[in-house]
Amino acid sequence: MSIWAIVPVKSFKRAKTRLAPVLSPEERQTISRNFLTHTLEVLNQVPEIQRTLVISRDPAVLRLARKHQAYTVTESERTELNAALTRATDVAAQLGAHAVLVMPSDMPLLDPDDIRKLIAASDEPECVTIAPDWRDYGTNALFMRPPRIIPYVFGPDSFEQHKALARDRGARVEICRFPGLGLDIDVPEDLAKYRKQLKQAERRAG
């Protein structure tokens, strides 16, 4: 089975605006770049993933993606996220993808084992596997086999909406809650939670 990962990425200069109360513009650009690098490095360590496709309107993002052997698609200025993901999924399907894994680039605790477990849970010919955020509100990772089995509805309450669409389609639905897939960094509360977990890991390491 050919699996493609699709990673939508905002412009580095416009990313993480909700962290403005706690981070400067330069700091937000730096963590956005670091998070994307981490995501691409993790995806490259998962042998089940044949290809990674990064979609963005920022040339700097696309250059960084290509340095990590990712395919790239340039997003239009006027295209919203779900339409951009649909376009990227069409590209992956046309190039032979049997399944796609959509995930953001801002999960600093992401681990290759998390992705392998999520893929292993998706063993039916028609299945949708969802990793929600730690609030059970948004969708942090969405695996679809085959591609385009349901439409994308990323946005408010997307976790419940993706579940409902998959069940309406009659696909098997799996929910994966792993620490590395649960924490994306959007707001200061997420960043505080991440830093707390880093300190706990450092104490355990001695």
Side-chain angles (χ1 to χ4, degrees):
M1 179 172 62
S2 174
I3 301 172
W4 283 48
I6 299 175
V7 183
V9 187
K10 289 183 178 177
S11 166
F12 287 141
K13 293 181 180 178
R14 298 179 183 175
K16 303 302 167 195
T17 54
R18 286 184 286 175
L19 294 177
V22 295
L23 295 179
S24 69
E26 292 77 16
E27 289 172 325
R28 298 200 302 273
Q29 289 185 46
T30 297
I31 67 163
S32 297
R33 184 180 294 274
N34 291 344
F35 286 170
L36 175 58
T37 297
H38 172 71
T39 299
L40 295 173
E41 289 176 347
V42 168
L43 290 170
N44 283 341
Q45 295 175 52
V46 180
E48 290 86 348
I49 293 177
Q50 183 182 34
R51 179 61 66 180
T52 295
L53 180 62
V54 171
I55 183 165
S56 178
R57 66 190 59 171
D58 184 346
V61 169
L62 301 176
R63 283 195 299 272
L64 180 59
R66 289 192 286 269
K67 286 182 179 178
H68 289 80
Q69 294 78 50
Y71 282 10
T72 57
V73 171
T74 303
E75 182 184 354
S76 165
E77 286 287 336
R78 291 170 293 182
T79 305
E80 57 90 33
L81 174 61
N82 292 308
L85 287 172
T86 300
R87 179 182 171 216
T89 301
D90 288 344
V91 170
Q94 289 165 7
L95 293 175
H98 301 123
V100 294
L101 171 65
V102 176
M103 57 193 318
S105 63
D106 58 356
M107 295 188 287
L109 300 178
L110 183 66
D111 183 274
D113 284 343
D114 293 330
I115 299 175
R116 290 193 190 102
K117 291 175 185 173
L118 184 146
I119 292 174
S122 312
D123 58 355
E124 295 288 334
E126 291 193 347
C127 60
V128 175
T129 303
I130 308 169
D133 65 20
W134 63 278
R135 299 178 180 85
D136 270 7
Y137 184 66
T139 301
N140 274 4
L142 178 64
F143 183 93
M144 293 196 297
R145 178 185 180 189
R148 300 178 294 200
I149 189 171
I150 60 170
Y152 295 114
V153 288
F154 283 92
D157 200 26
S158 66
F159 174 47
E160 290 297 332
Q161 291 190 65
H162 281 132
K163 273 199 306 184
L165 285 167
R167 286 171 177 157
D168 289 347
R169 176 66 173 76
R172 178 176 175 181
V173 181
E174 294 287 343
I175 308 301
C176 290
R177 291 184 173 86
F178 304 130
L181 288 169
L183 181 61
D184 59 328
I185 309 298
D186 286 326
V187 296
E189 185 183 7
D190 299 329
L191 189 60
K193 187 177 181 69
Y194 169 54
R195 288 171 169 168
K196 182 180 178 180
Q197 293 190 18
L198 278 184
K199 289 181 179 178
Q200 290 172 341
E202 289 171 358
R203 282 198 293 269
R204 286 196 296 270

